[in-house]
Amino acid sequence: MSQPTPAPSGTPANRRNVAGLQRPSGWPVGSFQNYADAQAAVDGLSDHQFPVENITIVGVDLMQVERVTGRLTWGRVLAGGALSGLWFGLFVGLLFALFTPDVWPSLLSALVIGLIFGVGFAAIGYAFTQGRRDFSSATTIVAGRYDVLCEPANAPQARDLIAQMGPHPSQNQGNQRVQPQQSAAQQPAAPQQPQPTEQTDARPEPQYPAAQQPQDAPHDVPRHDAQS
């Protein structure tokens, strides 16, 4: 029986795996205290048509943070187990209801079975702790700071663009989205241009004296007959 030959080390899949294990390279063009600012800075570079495929966000000083969410008691443990069991029983009951004519009996039986198993598993798990962990928590991985690295060819341009965004690009990004709407609403109305009015000739019309008849002229004018 022939054995499968291993893939050569030069295949694209192996190259991607090896590249993912290497230390990130590039010039630091920005450093931020939280991931939101680093993400907003890269988004701002993308808005300026910058080749963001040359950008890498690196989390430095990684820390495992466990946040305590509450105190555990037998009541809370059993209630949480019952709730998770009911959800699982409901899911299984709906699946069985698709293939059986009796919908409600199969659904109710699945809910009861899920409730029993949920409470049982929760009680067994809490009993094994023997009171050494009477609290619930959530664990996350956070970084002390987030550095933005860029390839040397485009690093000066990226540094200048990030410097224009300020120390908190996430806050500036929200203000830039709200500012155009406010400026459009607060923009003063354009002054109305005065409409041209009809110009009237204000010069006084000349007053001519009325024709006066001579006072010495006779009132009776002699007529000459045709027969003389």
Side-chain angles (χ1 to χ4, degrees):
M1 183 173 61
S2 61
Q3 296 180 355
T5 57
S9 59
T11 57
N14 292 335
R15 291 177 182 176
R16 288 194 296 267
N17 294 334
V18 173
L21 298 177
Q22 293 179 355
R23 185 183 180 90
S25 61
W27 289 2
V29 295
S31 181
F32 305 94
Q33 297 297 326
N34 52 65
Y35 180 77
D37 290 336
Q39 180 182 0
V42 178
D43 184 69
L45 293 177
S46 178
D47 294 340
H48 287 82
Q49 307 300 325
F50 184 84
V52 293
E53 59 272 10
N54 299 325
I55 296 294
T56 305
I57 300 178
V58 181
V60 184
D61 298 335
L62 297 181
M63 297 175 290
Q64 180 179 350
V65 180
E66 183 178 3
R67 300 185 183 277
V68 179
T69 58
R71 181 174 177 269
L72 281 182
T73 59
W74 275 106
R76 295 190 62 179
V77 171
L78 296 180
L83 183 61
S84 60
L86 286 175
W87 277 112
F88 182 75
L90 178 62
F91 175 73
V92 175
L94 291 177
L95 289 181
F96 280 118
L98 296 176
F99 304 99
T100 57
D102 298 332
V103 177
W104 292 109
S106 60
L107 183 61
L108 291 177
S109 60
L111 288 175
V112 172
I113 295 174
L115 176 63
I116 295 174
F117 275 95
V119 173
F121 280 116
I124 293 173
Y126 184 67
F128 272 109
T129 61
Q130 297 180 357
R132 291 190 300 266
R133 189 179 176 84
D134 292 337
F135 62 91
S136 58
S137 62
T139 304
T140 56
I141 302 296
V142 297
R145 74 174 190 273
Y146 295 88
D147 295 340
V148 179
L149 306 182
C150 181
E151 296 297 330
N154 300 321
Q157 181 184 2
R159 187 186 303 110
D160 295 340
L161 292 175
I162 292 178
Q164 296 176 4
M165 302 177 192
H168 301 287
S170 60
Q171 299 178 3
N172 299 335
Q173 187 179 19
N175 296 334
Q176 290 177 359
R177 292 178 179 177
V178 177
Q179 185 176 3
Q181 299 178 0
Q182 293 180 352
S183 60
Q186 298 178 358
Q187 185 177 4
Q192 298 181 358
Q193 299 180 357
Q195 298 181 358
T197 57
E198 296 181 358
Q199 297 182 357
T200 57
D201 193 359
R203 294 178 300 174
E205 296 181 358
Q207 298 180 1
Y208 298 98
Q212 299 180 359
Q213 295 182 359
Q215 298 180 357
D216 299 338
H219 296 282
D220 297 334
V221 179
R223 296 181 297 176
H224 299 278
D225 296 334
Q227 296 178 359
S228 55

